[in-house]
Amino acid sequence: MEKVTFRDPDSGEDVEFYVVEQTRINGTDYLLVSVEEDGDSEAFILKDVSTGNEEDSVYEMVESEEELEYMSKIFAEILEDVDITL
């Protein structure tokens, strides 16, 4: 499983996540990431909010309840053996 490092814009600290799955919906990239590599773990859905000007991708956590619910269903379908609860 790929490990990625994100910089928290508020604290400036690096945070590491494991990429469980990724997908593209309507031209936007989404990542399902977890804190732990194996087993039950807290997970987050991140959305690429980069503009064409950035050298690196910029991801933000999905906070909209509607978008979070929709993307949870998408990832649950992709990962048939994973149970996603909000």
Side-chain angles (χ1 to χ4, degrees), residues 5-80:
T5 304
F6 293 94
R7 180 163 306 254
D8 183 325
D10 297 328
S11 68
E13 293 181 34
D14 288 342
V15 182
E16 292 184 337
F17 293 110
Y18 293 93
V19 178
V20 177
E21 187 61 69
Q22 59 187 24
T23 191
R24 178 181 283 249
I25 304 290
N26 297 326
T28 301
D29 292 322
Y30 290 89
L31 299 177
L32 175 62
V33 298
S34 65
V35 176
E36 302 293 329
E37 185 173 16
D38 296 317
D40 289 345
S41 175
E42 193 169 8
F44 304 96
I45 297 176
L46 306 176
K47 177 181 183 176
D48 188 348
V49 294
S50 305
T51 62
N53 302 338
E54 279 115 1
E55 204 172 292
D56 294 325
S57 295
V58 177
Y59 284 88
E60 290 182 354
M61 287 190 186
V62 172
E63 294 182 8
S64 158
E65 283 295 321
E66 184 178 295
E67 186 177 19
L68 188 59
E69 194 171 313
Y70 177 75
M71 291 310 302
S72 295
K73 289 178 184 176
I74 297 292
F75 281 119
E77 285 181 26
I78 294 171
L79 302 164
E80 297 171 355

